[in-house]
Amino acid sequence: MQTEVLLPLIAYLLLVFGLSVYAYTRRQQGNFLTEYFLGNRSMGGFVLAMTLTATYISASSFIGGPGAAYKFGLGWVLLAMIQLPAVWLSLGVLGKKFAILARRYNAVTLNDMLFARYQSRLLVWLASLSLLVAFLGAMTVQFIGGARLLETAAGIPYDTGLLIFGISIALYTAFGGFRASVLNDAMQGLVMLLGTILLLFAVIHAAGGLHTAIDKLQQIDPKLVSVHGGDDVLSLPFMASFWILVCFGVIGLPHTAVRCISYKDSKAVHRGIVLGTIVVAVLMLGMHLAGALGRAILPDLKIPDQVIPTLMITVLPPYAAGIFLAAPMAAIMSTINAQLLQSSATIVKDLYLGIKPDQLANERKLKRFSSWATFVLGLLVLLAAWRPPEMIIWLNLLAFGGLEAVFLWPLVLGLYWERANATGALSSMIVGAVCYTLLASIDLHIAGLHPIVPSLSLSLLAFYIGNRFGSPARETALKPS
């Protein structure tokens, strides 16, 4: 066990807990659910940018993405940069309209919005179950990433690291709620920025300069410096699919969407778009380029996902490695707490209160139930992460695609198409989920396209057809009050 690496990380985790305690003491009086799951909709522009970025940038971006860049080369770095407009798209498409309607409906979760728009309890149940299944997969990826970081960089056995990481996350998220989540996101976003920049410079220096590093990559495999990548994996259909999966489709991710209903005012949105896009650009370029160039320093890694933690302890002094280990740890923690909160909100608000609406007034019971739901979910994900795959990026993209196939069209068309109705939305969700599950299960790529492309195309068609047979939507649903 490497104590010099571990001590700064322990200090960082204590700081995270301290912020959670601070957030708990700063809880405002009023509706408990709105405070615990949305922080009373009080985010400013800087915090909005950081929480969106930190929620979007996950173990896949700090562990899986650089691992893929290590394996496939500089072409994957270019591919990663197509995620640049993700924050702009999320806030631009959802943004003001989504937040205005959420305030009018007093919506706490994405499913609250869907129920207010479509008036279908069946739709809410289907959306809730889809969200929980996909989030279990997505959170498992984050737990695996956190445990691998501790295993590689601090010398802690995988199982022990998983226990430390999983219990820490479950406790601080259950204790502090949304306000703790976004405060930690703001701090973690800054840690990620600093860690990314310094690690990239350290990697380039250790490789003997950028030109020397690229020459070494070319000697290992000329395809590592081509736009098509090693194994020629980066075909045009794959790149188009990847953009839809990790950029355009992000609009439909529930944990991203809920950030779009919790900001303070329109000024926060504009500032969030600019700052968030800049931060995403720096993080994506820095981490993926470090992963690709890392192969010039560590040419024989058997598990690509270990490239970033291994580089940290190779090119940085031990204490510095411990400090910058906090950067990918921050990315992972911020994504998990967003997904954990969204999952517990689904259980408490959409399922439990959907069955027992009379419990809404019992604030003490809701507080206890919300915290326990968050903590128990964290423990379940910990168990699911006990036996990890070699490359987590594919599992993460699988979960992301499932969420997008279910939520994207009901969410976007529900906002912008007045005639959209529950039958259309349900048809879209069912067709999207079934199509994506089947194509992903048999690993079928029609014309080289990722399963998300035909799934979203068919779910859009199903929405249009189903909409023609359903009852008309309420005329007042999208009109300002």
Side-chain angles (χ1 to χ4, degrees):
M1 190 177 297
Q2 301 182 39
T3 308
E4 299 93 337
V5 175
L6 200 55
L7 286 176
L9 186 63
I10 292 172
Y12 176 74
L13 289 174
L14 290 174
L15 180 58
V16 166
F17 277 109
L19 275 176
S20 297
V21 173
Y22 172 76
Y24 183 81
T25 62
R26 296 282 293 175
R27 280 185 183 173
Q28 299 175 10
Q29 296 300 314
N31 187 297
F32 164 73
L33 292 174
T34 304
E35 169 59 35
Y36 185 80
F37 292 118
L38 291 180
N40 269 347
R41 312 181 202 270
S42 58
M43 279 195 295
F46 173 76
V47 176
L48 176 63
M50 286 303 184
T51 191
L52 263 175
T53 304
T55 301
Y56 177 65
I57 305 285
S58 64
S60 184
S61 306
F62 265 78
I63 305 295
Y70 176 91
K71 184 174 182 178
F72 300 120
L74 295 176
W76 194 276
V77 180
L78 290 175
L79 181 69
M81 295 309 292
I82 63 177
Q83 302 172 68
L84 195 61
V87 171
W88 175 75
L89 278 171
S90 297
L91 287 175
V93 174
L94 300 179
K96 294 180 184 177
K97 191 164 191 174
F98 197 59
I100 290 168
L101 290 174
R103 282 166 167 78
R104 188 200 307 173
Y105 300 144
N106 196 27
V108 173
T109 67
L110 177 61
N111 289 335
D112 280 346
M113 291 287 289
L114 292 175
F115 181 72
R117 177 65 179 87
Y118 296 112
Q119 294 295 299
S120 169
R121 187 55 63 185
L122 176 60
L123 186 147
V124 169
W125 275 87
L126 177 60
S128 299
L129 293 175
S130 301
L131 184 147
L132 290 173
V133 169
F135 269 6
L136 280 173
M139 288 188 289
T140 299
V141 169
Q142 311 309 318
F143 274 52
I144 293 169
R148 277 195 175 149
L149 272 175
L150 293 174
E151 177 187 33
T152 308
I156 297 174
Y158 177 85
D159 294 349
T160 306
L162 185 62
L163 283 172
I164 294 170
F165 182 74
I167 292 172
S168 299
I169 286 283
L171 278 174
Y172 101 74
T173 308
F175 184 70
F178 185 88
R179 195 176 292 275
S181 174
V182 296
L183 280 176
N184 277 305
D185 284 352
M187 178 191 70
Q188 288 161 345
L190 293 173
V191 170
M192 283 189 275
L193 273 174
L194 181 63
T196 297
I197 293 167
L198 289 176
L199 179 65
L200 178 60
F201 277 106
V203 168
I204 292 173
H205 180 266
L210 186 60
H211 191 272
T212 304
I214 293 174
D215 284 345
K216 288 179 181 176
L217 291 182
Q218 193 157 20
Q219 289 168 17
I220 294 168
D221 182 354
K223 290 182 178 179
L224 293 176
V225 296
S226 80
V227 293
H228 298 296
D231 301 332
D232 291 322
V233 70
L234 304 179
S235 63
L236 189 59
F238 179 87
M239 289 189 283
S241 303
F242 195 79
W243 181 81
I244 291 172
L245 182 63
V246 301
C247 190
F248 174 72
V250 169
I251 300 167
L253 292 178
H255 54 299
T256 301
V258 79
R259 260 64 183 161
C260 297
I261 65 175
S262 48
Y263 62 82
K264 186 165 52 179
D265 51 33
S266 58
K267 186 177 178 181
V269 177
H270 300 146
R271 189 173 296 169
I273 288 174
V274 175
L275 289 175
T277 302
I278 293 171
V279 173
V280 167
V282 173
L283 293 177
M284 285 296 168
L285 178 62
M287 291 311 301
H288 287 81
L289 188 55
L293 298 179
R295 191 154 178 183
I297 302 169
L298 308 164
D300 300 316
L301 279 182
K302 293 204 170 22
I303 301 177
D305 282 351
Q306 291 182 342
V307 62
I308 291 300
T310 307
L311 281 173
M312 283 181 174
I313 59 176
T314 303
V315 304
L316 295 170
Y319 278 109
I323 293 169
F324 299 126
L325 181 60
M329 192 66 79
I332 294 166
M333 291 170 75
S334 55
T335 301
I336 291 177
N337 63 43
Q339 293 172 344
L340 262 181
L341 275 176
Q342 190 69 18
S343 299
S344 59
T346 298
I347 292 171
V348 176
K349 183 71 169 61
D350 303 323
L351 300 179
Y352 176 69
L353 289 177
I355 298 170
K356 295 187 173 182
D358 56 301
Q359 294 297 314
L360 186 59
N362 192 339
E363 187 169 301
R364 179 179 294 180
K365 188 172 182 179
L366 282 179
K367 284 181 180 178
R368 189 167 59 248
F369 188 40
S370 299
S371 295
W372 273 108
T374 306
F375 184 67
V376 171
L377 274 170
L379 295 183
L380 287 175
V381 177
L382 187 150
L383 292 174
W386 211 257
R387 291 290 173 263
E390 281 193 5
M391 288 186 70
I392 61 175
I393 189 170
W394 308 124
L395 179 58
N396 195 54
L397 293 178
L398 181 69
F400 264 40
L403 287 168
E404 292 167 9
V406 171
F407 285 100
L408 181 64
W409 297 127
L411 180 57
V412 174
L413 295 179
L415 275 179
Y416 291 99
W417 189 19
E418 287 191 21
R419 292 178 54 202
N421 61 36
T423 307
L426 273 168
S427 303
S428 175
M429 293 170 82
I430 293 168
V431 169
V434 170
C435 180
Y436 187 77
T437 302
L438 287 175
L439 292 177
S441 298
I442 61 177
D443 199 25
L444 178 61
H445 297 263
I446 300 170
L449 295 168
H450 187 277
I452 192 63
V453 179
S455 299
L456 286 179
S457 301
L458 289 174
S459 65
L460 178 60
L461 179 63
F463 199 118
Y464 176 75
I465 295 171
N467 213 72
R468 296 179 66 86
F469 294 98
S471 304
R474 293 183 305 148
E475 291 185 3
T476 58
L478 295 178
K479 293 180 180 177
S481 54

